[in-house]
Amino acid sequence: MAGRPRSIDREKVLDAAEAIVAQTGAASLSFEAVAKAADITKSGVQYCFGTKENLIRSMIQRWGESFDRDVMERIGADRSARSIIRGHLEATRDSDEAEYSRSAVMMTALLQRPDQVAASREWYTSRLSGLDMTKKADRDAALAFLAGEGAFMLRTLGLIDLDEAQWNALFADMLSIVR
Amino acid sequence: MAGRPRSIDREKVLDAAEAIVAQTGAASLSFEAVAKAADITKSGVQYCFGTKENLIRSMIQRWGESFDRDVMERIGADRSARSIIRGHLEATRDSDEAEYSRSAVMMTALLQRPDQVAASREWYTSRLSGLDMTKKADRDAALAFLAGEGAFMLRTLGLIDLDEAQWNALFADMLSIVR
DNA sequence: TCCATTTCAATACGGTCGTATTTATATCGA
DNA sequence: TCGATATAAATACGACCGTATTGAAATGGA
């Protein structure tokens, strides 16, 4: 029993939601705002995602999977902790202006109940789980990872100003640590 | 012409606001919630701070000044960029559980319009402004600073799990870089 | 063709929020 | 004591939000 064919592209809706958060802040993320940005109706958004919590969950999930694919493509067969961190750093380094969706998504999640970030928590924790923090070499890798995250967050949030040369130089330093 | 004496403690109101953000998220920060937590009325909060934007601005300002005092106490007469970063790292390292107000305040600001962070922007930028990023030694200091910020943010946001031994070991590494 | 079904739009509703307005309370100078 | 004034509470208002409900449009099978 197939009914009316789908005319709303979920991906486009998620794009619109990300754009709203990135441009006007997570506070202004609403069904109505997303609908207007995606050029559909508020009810259409609700029909596609049900609740706002589910919309946010979808945003997180899509971005996490996307970033993971990027990381895995960069590293080869070597799936060690240090290798994954290296891929993570490279992916972060190359994230262009338009791809600030990551921080946008994080902000959105954190805006809601703090425990909403549980999904991303596993994602982040896994990055460090393979390291033995009692060993200096592994701590160095963790330090490089944390520096990359700090640089990324502070820059995407507009809290520090790094031009491209500084950005690349810093990530080159981080990558030389994990290699 | 002195009128009715003040009975509301602004500091207590700010404490309540921080606690709300830290515990239930920035989304639930409202005059009414703050009033209830501070055991006064919604109108009292409004009278003290005028607008919500001003309340948030007050939160940011108070925390920034508090953290700066902490940093300046830790470093002596040496006000070089590296010395300030060292003090910053130490202050971050010693920030106890109860003093998660920093991330709480940041989240609150970022929740509003993104340009709301302009005040904090200057604060962060000044941390790196004294460094010459073309010199490896200065980049190392910047890297340590960024690692500290990354560790702090990810931990306060509940995205990574570091026990006290790991936390202290990482900050010891960072501090050894800037010294 | 007609009905079941899926998809989405229209509309409505209860709740909360920030703020404006009005009222009450407490102090000091005259 | 009596305004004038500063402080805070009470109340009200308009806007927006998330969601529930209802209705319309488009498909396929009987």
Side-chain angles (χ1 to χ4, degrees), chain A residues 6 15 17 25-26 29 42 60 63 73 88 138 174 177-178:
Chain A
R6 302 194 45 150
D15 291 342
L29 180 75
K42 180 181 172 184
I60 297 176
W63 162 73
E73 282 174 10
H88 187 112
D138 277 14
M174 300 172 201
I177 292 176
V178 295

Side-chain angles (χ1 to χ4, degrees), chain A residues 81-82 85 127-134 137-139 141-142, chain B residues 166:
Chain A
R82 294 173 66 91
I85 287 177
R127 252 56 172 169
L128 297 177
S129 61
L131 299 175
D132 180 359
M133 291 300 214
T134 63
D138 277 14
R139 277 208 311 279
Chain B
Q166 295 171 333

